[in-house]
Amino acid sequence: MRGGKKVNVLALIGCPVAHSKSPRMFNTAFQDTQLPYVYLAHHVEPHQLERAVNGLKTLGYEGFNVTIPYKEAMMNLVDELDESAQVIGAINTVVHREGKWIGYNTDGAGYLRSLRESIAIDLNHCKVVMIGAGGAARAVGYALCTHGIQHLTIVNRTVKKANELANQLASRGQTNFLALADAEEVIAQADLIINTTSVGMHPHTKQSPIPIDWIGAHHIVSDLVYNPLHTALLQGAEKKGAKIHTGDGMLLYQAAIAWELWTSRPAPIPVMKKALEQANSYT
Ligand code: NAP
């Protein structure tokens, strides 16, 4: 209780969670908006996951975020799945509503909102090449296909995984797949190139998922990696005159969408953004 009023409790569960910027970002935003919520972080060991989730439910939490390594396992621990979680096959946000625990995945929608905020883009006429076919690619691919892009080509080091993802998304949009090594021509013809692989992430910051020579001034180049923000891919793209889109926006907007699901109010984006930037400067 805070001043006699009920305080709603939210949390992040994962293993590890100590590095997470989510508690700082959410709590700063709840203080700013004076909404009666508090956001905690719980480190949960793998063998304790089910007990921990039951504990949150018993203690009357309003919802929680789920991070590595439990996004897939969480699918079996909720009462209902939103379409986003169902298609992506992973949950990052759980909402307690009318006695039911509902699993969502806000990563894809968060990515799309971030892209649109950052760059004027007409997705309906957009040919997209997405590099990578892992968890983040499933979320971004789902969001792109449900928002009517013209065409999505998935390229991946392991071509079998690109094939599987392209097939999975084919009912929602026009998709095909290629091996990364064969992608030069299709990339030349694309409007938007998205890196969803971990290539370029700290400590391998000099690596790029594709040769910079494949990029031209007509491209928009987007990178999900946020450590560092200006990856070798984005630095190279900028030098080629391409527009760039960094990975911090997805981090912010997937959280903003979770906020909106929990509180049914618009998220205070500038406050959350500033808190995230300040948290980054502490690491
Ligand atoms: P994941 O499921 O493990 O998938 C990794 C992907 O990277 C696979 O497609 C893998 O290809 C590819 N890959 C890894 N090393 C490679 C290499 N040396 N050369 C070529 N391809 C390589 O990981 P994830 O969860 O999708 O995350 C991927 C990245 O997205 C991470 O950097 C993560 O931090 C970032 N991310 C950012 C946000 C955000 O909010 N900005 C959100 C989620 C994820 P194979 O299939 O061939 O192994």
Side-chain angles (χ1 to χ4, degrees):
M1 304 285 266
R2 188 190 281 166
K5 282 191 196 150
K6 183 188 173 219
V7 176
N8 302 297
V9 189
L10 300 165
L12 170 69
I13 60 168
C15 179
V17 292
H19 66 286
S20 172
K21 294 150 179 83
S22 295
R24 176 187 288 267
M25 176 175 58
F26 279 115
N27 288 323
T28 305
F30 285 132
Q31 275 160 21
D32 186 84
T33 53
Q34 299 192 332
L35 287 176
Y37 286 82
V38 65
Y39 186 102
L40 310 173
H42 297 307
H43 180 112
V44 176
E45 291 296 333
H47 68 286
Q48 301 273 35
L49 177 63
E50 195 165 345
R51 284 180 67 193
V53 168
N54 286 336
L56 301 182
K57 292 176 178 174
T58 308
L59 291 169
Y61 279 50
E62 287 297 307
F64 49 95
N65 282 136
V66 184
T67 189
I68 290 168
Y70 302 132
K71 289 184 176 188
E72 284 87 12
M74 199 61 221
M75 299 278 289
N76 297 319
L77 299 175
V78 291
D79 301 316
E80 277 178 21
L81 292 171
D82 179 64
E83 187 196 85
S84 57
Q86 212 160 12
V87 177
I88 295 165
I91 288 174
N92 75 341
T93 303
V94 177
V95 182
H96 189 210
R97 192 179 295 132
E98 291 166 10
K100 287 193 172 147
W101 296 87
I102 307 166
Y104 291 81
N105 192 309
T106 66
D107 279 338
Y111 172 78
L112 217 55
R113 209 151 128 188
S114 150
L115 182 68
R116 285 175 163 148
E117 286 289 322
S118 148
I119 288 169
I121 187 167
D122 177 5
L123 284 174
N124 294 326
H125 295 101
C126 214
K127 288 194 278 277
V128 183
V129 171
M130 182 169 74
I131 308 160
R138 282 206 305 277
V140 169
Y142 163 73
L144 291 169
C145 287
T146 47
H147 285 82
I149 56 161
Q150 192 184 337
H151 192 274
L152 175 66
T153 303
I154 301 166
V155 302
N156 196 40
R157 178 178 62 178
T158 310
V159 72
K160 183 169 169 278
K161 282 205 219 161
N163 184 359
E164 282 165 7
L165 184 56
N167 283 342
Q168 196 194 344
L169 296 173
S171 63
R172 292 182 162 77
Q174 261 200 38
T175 61
N176 71 332
F177 66 95
L178 272 178
L180 188 49
D182 301 331
E184 179 172 2
E185 201 179 316
V186 75
I187 284 181
Q189 288 161 14
D191 305 297
L192 171 62
I193 305 166
I194 308 170
N195 176 39
T196 71
T197 76
S198 46
V199 179
M201 197 165 86
H202 180 80
H204 304 293
T205 55
K206 293 216 161 69
Q207 294 179 1
S208 167
I210 53 168
I212 300 303
D213 284 350
W214 291 6
I215 301 170
H218 65 290
H219 283 129
I220 297 169
V221 182
S222 171
D223 201 332
L224 265 56
V225 171
Y226 53 83
N227 179 23
L229 271 189
H230 288 90
T231 56
L233 172 69
L234 294 186
Q235 287 180 34
E238 243 178 348
K239 282 190 191 135
K240 291 279 185 173
K243 290 195 185 89
I244 64 160
H245 171 241
T246 54
D248 50 346
M250 177 172 175
L251 211 55
L252 171 68
Y253 282 99
Q254 59 80 25
I257 295 168
W259 164 293
E260 289 166 2
L261 287 169
W262 289 323
T263 68
S264 305
R265 291 169 193 245
I269 301 291
V271 177
M272 292 173 79
K273 187 167 188 246
K274 193 169 166 203
L276 199 58
E277 285 164 1
Q278 281 173 349
N280 280 334
S281 69
Y282 278 80
T283 55

